[in-house]
Amino acid sequence: MQKHILISLMLLLSAMYAEAQHYDRGYEAVPSSPFVRKGTWVAGGTLRYSQHVNENYKMLLIDDINSRGYNISVSPRLLYMVKDNMGVGMKFSYDRSMLDLASAGLTAGEIQMNASDCYQISHKYSAHAVCRAYVPFGNIKRFALFADVMLGGSFKQGKAFNAGGDYVLGTYEKAYTLELAVNPGIVAFLTEHMAMELNVGIFGVSYGWKDQVRNQVTSGSTNLTSAGFMVNLLSIGVGISYYFL
């Protein structure tokens, strides 16, 4: 039975590969033909939304979690192919998150801690200039690798407060970031003009600083410089793009 399944899977993969070789999206199936021609516009982006509601929930050592919250992320982009298989453009992002923690308790042996009436909300605007290069798989016009080099920055604004004690404690924060990032990925055409993309961050250099005001009385600031060359699984993104002339 396993042998028949393996043979069937190999035949299916062979058929998909053969179909991909003959799928040229209107391009000539010759080695010199580009994956994306000069003058093509690429419009796309990602949209993510999630929310949660916890009622007397337990997670590891944390008991009686009562909370609600959400996360929203919208990231449109527009590219123009200035030459075959190479384009430039802009990418914009908006992120918003909220967490309303009514109560939670931590128990570890004789240690007990409780939190209640905590609230946090923030949003972030980002803008990046993008340069993208495609690396096609030979004559196959359905799949290709690509690499995005992005240069830009972001502005984040948020506040948090804790009303679970005798006094209400609050913090207001502004954060600014400048960054250079390299995000490679793979693109697969679903139709003649529409494609699905998967990318992941592997390299980035950033400089950021934050300004805080605590309880409308004291203020503080911090700055951070970072550089890394590693696969960041938290930055994996999936999106849809539309290619048109």
Side-chain angles (χ1 to χ4, degrees), residues 23 142 188-196 240:
Y23 185 81
R142 185 186 291 268
F189 273 84
L190 306 177
T191 66
E192 184 177 353
H193 298 286
M194 187 169 294
M196 177 176 290
I240 296 294

Side-chain angles (χ1 to χ4, degrees), residues 133-155:
Y134 291 90
V135 181
F137 295 113
N139 296 335
I140 301 176
K141 303 305 178 187
R142 185 186 291 268
F143 306 100
L145 297 175
F146 68 85
D148 287 341
V149 178
M150 302 190 302
L151 176 64
S154 64
F155 167 71

Side-chain angles (χ1 to χ4, degrees), residues 125-237:
Y125 301 90
S126 304
H128 294 82
V130 182
C131 179
R132 170 177 291 192
Y134 291 90
V135 181
F137 295 113
N139 296 335
I140 301 176
K141 303 305 178 187
R142 185 186 291 268
F143 306 100
L145 297 175
F146 68 85
D148 287 341
V149 178
M150 302 190 302
L151 176 64
S154 64
F155 167 71
K156 183 177 181 180
Q157 189 177 33
K159 62 181 179 180
F161 67 81
N162 182 356
D166 297 332
Y167 304 96
V168 177
L169 305 177
T171 301
Y172 174 76
E173 180 179 271
K174 289 183 179 180
Y176 308 84
T177 304
L178 300 175
E179 58 186 351
L180 170 66
V182 178
N183 296 340
I186 187 170
V187 57
F189 273 84
L190 306 177
T191 66
E192 184 177 353
H193 298 286
M194 187 169 294
M196 177 176 290
E197 299 179 359
L198 173 67
N199 65 79
V200 59
I202 64 167
F203 176 76
V205 177
S206 67
Y207 173 74
W209 64 98
K210 297 180 181 179
D211 296 321
Q212 287 184 343
V213 177
R214 297 184 295 275
N215 302 324
Q216 297 297 325
V217 177
T218 60
S219 61
S221 62
T222 182
N223 61 77
L224 174 67
T225 302
S226 65
F229 186 83
M230 59 188 302
V231 177
N232 184 1
L233 297 179
L234 298 178
S235 68
I236 293 178

Side-chain angles (χ1 to χ4, degrees), residues 46 73-76 91-95 124-128:
T46 60
S73 178
V74 180
S75 180
K91 176 183 178 181
F92 303 94
S93 300
Y94 175 75
D95 301 273
K124 183 175 71 172
Y125 301 90
S126 304
H128 294 82

Side-chain angles (χ1 to χ4, degrees), residues 61-173:
L61 300 178
I62 305 177
D63 301 322
D64 300 327
I65 303 175
N66 293 278
S67 66
R68 62 185 181 91
Y70 63 80
N71 289 279
I72 301 173
S73 178
V74 180
S75 180
R77 66 177 178 274
L78 181 65
L79 302 175
Y80 177 75
M81 306 303 295
V82 295
K83 58 186 298 185
D84 291 346
N85 295 337
M86 181 171 290
V88 296
M90 292 294 298
K91 176 183 178 181
F92 303 94
S93 300
Y94 175 75
D95 301 273
R96 185 179 181 90
S97 63
M98 185 276 288
L99 174 63
D100 185 0
L101 178 64
S103 63
L106 172 63
T107 302
E110 298 180 354
I111 300 176
Q112 293 185 350
M113 300 177 62
N114 296 287
S116 62
D117 298 324
C118 298
Y119 183 83
Q120 180 178 2
I121 188 169
S122 65
H123 60 188
K124 183 175 71 172
Y125 301 90
S126 304
H128 294 82
V130 182
C131 179
R132 170 177 291 192
Y134 291 90
V135 181
F137 295 113
N139 296 335
I140 301 176
K141 303 305 178 187
R142 185 186 291 268
F143 306 100
L145 297 175
F146 68 85
D148 287 341
V149 178
M150 302 190 302
L151 176 64
S154 64
F155 167 71
K156 183 177 181 180
Q157 189 177 33
K159 62 181 179 180
F161 67 81
N162 182 356
D166 297 332
Y167 304 96
V168 177
L169 305 177
T171 301
Y172 174 76
E173 180 179 271

